[in-house]
Amino acid sequence: MFRFIHSSDLHLGKPYGQMPEDIRGNLTEARFAKIEALLDLAEREGATHILLAGDTFDAETPSDKTRRQAIRAMARDSGIRWVIIPGNHDSLAADELWRTLASEAPENVTLALEAQPMALADGVMLLPAPCPARRSGRDLGAWMDEAATPEGTLRIGLAHGGVQSFAEDGSADTLAPDRAARAGLDYLALGDWHGQMQVEPRTWYSGTPEADQFKHAGRAGALVVTLTGSGALPQIQAADTGEYLWQSHDLSVTPGTDAAAQAAALLPPEAERRKALLRFNLSGRIDPAGRGALIAALQQSAPDFAFLDWRERDLRVEYDAEDLDQIDQGGVLRAAAETLRAEADDADLSAADRAIARRALNRLYGYAVEAP
């Protein structure tokens, strides 16, 4: 039996520039804490190795502090061996990074920088596919098909890139989805896709151990993989490692419904909110009073969360004469409101211009109803 932890995409040093300044440091530190979390998981599950399938660092030039502290954190338990391959974010093109890591790495950290078999343990061989550059334009796992290993040896592939449409973005290389069968692999550990995903029984994406976007549902984690013998299917156990919960909700509303109550029903328990990032994608049709109540409810809840925002791009606010009367029954403001409503409904205008008119009308209505 051979048991190991499969993880990837730590993206150490990720700056989270799209997030508010007051939370960026916490999110960056949470990623670093995953080194300890993976070690704890390996110790708890009796795993002897942690395989990182690329993008250990967020960039090819991480700070000295990020690099040095990561390597030293991995050395905490000398009985657990880390094996790291370059991904598309920290590819082999970063000569200085990998040269420095090689000089600093403790004995239990192995950098798999060449596409050639390496022994992990007696009867266990690793076939790594390091990324030579951000885009290589080829299937980096193809060499595994012809890689020779001793008879009866467990064969584990380690690669970073997209399989068909599973690529996280357009920058990764495309890997054959049936590579495990072609190369006689007992398991193929993949990185790049930030959510856990089974491609086929022997091929998995571990996902990132700490969520970093709203794209993937559920908590982030790693995979505990147990191989019981050459030819036997791997035993896969998913384990939670994420500190922050990222959730995205599509909320479709209609006039006359209590949109604020609908949103409240989707909020996580209060005990989880401090470490939760939440986004509402609002759509459908709503009256201005309903929109006002909905936005007010979201604004009231926002301080409970690490982050909470909403998007109104697909939400249409329907104004009638009574609504416009609340802005003004005549004069300049009423004329402006009528003009904005006409522009918001004008099919001859671009979608962007119509959206600007809707936002302006919503703002004007908000000012009017809030005025003493």
Side-chain angles (χ1 to χ4, degrees):
M1 185 187 76
F2 182 71
R3 177 171 294 160
F4 60 94
I5 305 301
H6 168 200
S7 187
S8 70
D9 298 280
L10 270 71
H11 286 273
L12 300 176
K14 185 179 179 71
Y16 290 96
Q18 81 282 13
M19 285 288 143
E21 187 174 355
D22 63 353
I23 193 179
R24 294 174 192 169
N26 293 341
L27 296 176
T28 299
E29 181 59 27
R31 304 201 72 77
F32 189 88
K34 296 295 94 67
I35 297 175
E36 295 285 340
L38 292 173
L39 279 170
D40 291 343
L41 178 61
E43 292 168 352
R44 189 165 62 247
E45 297 294 335
T48 57
H49 290 68
I50 299 174
L51 307 186
L52 297 183
D55 285 358
T56 299
F57 298 96
D58 188 59
E60 294 182 342
T61 56
S63 68
D64 292 344
K65 179 179 179 179
T66 296
R67 185 197 68 247
R68 183 79 62 83
Q69 291 185 4
I71 287 295
R72 291 188 173 176
M74 292 177 185
R76 187 193 78 184
D77 188 336
S78 61
I80 295 175
R81 180 180 175 190
W82 297 75
V83 182
I84 304 172
I85 63 167
N88 60 299
H89 276 254
D90 54 7
S91 74
L92 279 171
D95 294 334
E96 183 177 352
L97 168 62
W98 295 102
R99 184 167 53 250
T100 304
L101 285 171
S103 68
E104 295 177 340
E107 292 185 0
N108 68 321
V109 175
T110 298
L111 308 179
L113 306 183
E114 298 181 12
Q116 62 181 28
M118 65 165 46
L120 292 183
D122 290 341
V124 183
M125 298 294 292
L126 181 73
L127 281 61
C131 292
R134 192 169 182 85
R135 300 176 181 86
S136 73
R138 58 190 175 89
D139 184 345
L140 297 174
W143 77 276
M144 300 177 187
D145 296 0
E146 307 301 326
T149 56
E151 184 77 20
T153 297
L154 290 173
R155 290 164 60 92
I156 301 172
L158 186 63
H160 186 92
V163 172
Q164 295 180 337
S165 62
F166 299 154
E168 188 66 31
D169 55 31
S171 63
D173 299 304
T174 301
L175 304 165
D178 60 347
R179 178 62 60 206
R182 292 190 195 185
L185 302 177
D186 295 281
Y187 185 78
L188 176 54
L190 296 179
D192 182 49
W193 184 249
H194 286 203
Q196 287 182 356
M197 180 182 293
Q198 177 185 340
V199 179
E200 53 87 33
R202 299 183 187 276
T203 304
W204 283 74
Y205 284 96
S206 65
T208 176
E210 181 64 40
D212 58 0
Q213 55 186 295
F214 292 106
K215 187 173 184 177
H216 304 284
R219 291 193 178 276
L223 298 176
V224 182
V225 183
T226 304
L227 303 179
T228 57
S230 181
L233 287 177
Q235 299 173 11
I236 311 296
Q237 174 189 342
D240 290 344
T241 58
E243 179 179 349
Y244 284 88
L245 175 66
W246 294 60
Q247 288 185 333
S248 178
H249 292 301
D250 295 326
L251 179 59
S252 180
V253 300
T254 56
T257 61
D258 190 343
Q262 288 179 265
L266 296 174
L267 299 178
E270 290 186 5
E272 299 180 9
R273 295 181 186 180
R274 183 172 177 271
K275 292 296 183 71
L277 295 90
L278 191 62
R279 168 167 290 161
F280 283 97
N281 300 305
L282 306 177
S283 64
R285 297 176 299 112
I286 196 169
D287 58 71
R291 176 193 173 273
L294 171 59
I295 300 305
L298 294 176
Q299 290 174 335
Q300 184 176 10
S301 296
D304 295 336
F305 291 83
F307 174 81
L308 187 152
D309 78 349
W310 52 91
R311 296 182 172 181
E312 300 183 62
R313 181 177 53 193
D314 298 320
L315 181 66
R316 182 184 178 88
V317 182
E318 298 183 340
Y319 289 85
D320 59 25
E322 291 185 2
D323 296 321
L324 296 186
D325 284 344
Q326 293 188 59
I327 296 175
D328 202 346
Q329 294 186 357
V332 176
L333 286 181
R334 178 56 178 262
E338 294 281 6
T339 299
L340 290 172
R341 183 173 70 166
E343 292 180 354
D345 296 334
D346 189 347
D348 292 333
L349 294 178
S350 68
D353 287 341
R354 293 197 302 272
I356 291 172
R358 286 196 298 271
R359 289 196 297 270
L361 183 54
N362 292 339
R363 183 71 60 86
L364 185 60
Y365 179 87
Y367 286 149
V369 298
E370 292 171 6

